[in-house]
Amino acid sequence: MGAAPGSGAAPLAPVVLLGRCPRCGSGPLFSGPLAVRQACPACGLDLRAHDAGDGPAMAGIFVVGALAVIAALVVDAKYQPPLWLHAVLWPALVLPLSLLVMRLAKALLVALQYRHGLRGT
């Protein structure tokens, strides 16, 4: 009988935090900021079937959106900055944080798909 799904999987923390291959843990998972590679250059794992879908975007919307709204309300209540400062400050913080959260969520979903033997259609 064949190997169990995800057998030989790399530890989850480095795969997610460093964006590494879910099988070998050494090859890069991403070819761009959010684009998953076609295959791992180190072990040759075909990554085309591992699709995270809209999950990372939803994580970005819910996590970063909630934190940004709470932080904006606290800053406004405590310091009462002018409106233009809100308009400059929050997009400058939210956009990079959203990309980071989406990248981490995408790496997590791809790694979990590999570990559990799930493939996209």
Side-chain angles (χ1 to χ4, degrees), residues 14-101:
V15 168
V16 173
L17 295 175
L18 301 176
R20 299 293 182 205
C21 170
R23 179 166 54 187
C24 69
S26 62
L29 180 63
F30 296 102
S31 61
L34 293 173
V36 176
R37 290 185 177 277
Q38 297 277 326
C40 174
C43 70
L45 175 65
D46 183 12
L47 295 166
R48 290 176 294 183
H50 297 285
D51 182 23
D54 292 333
M58 295 307 292
I61 289 169
F62 287 123
V63 173
V64 176
L67 292 175
V69 168
I70 292 168
L73 290 172
V74 168
V75 166
D76 192 55
K78 188 168 185 177
Y79 301 109
Q80 299 173 347
L83 187 58
W84 67 265
L85 187 60
H86 280 293
V88 170
L89 176 66
W90 299 113
L93 293 174
V94 166
L95 292 174
L97 190 57
S98 295
L99 286 174
L100 175 66
V101 169

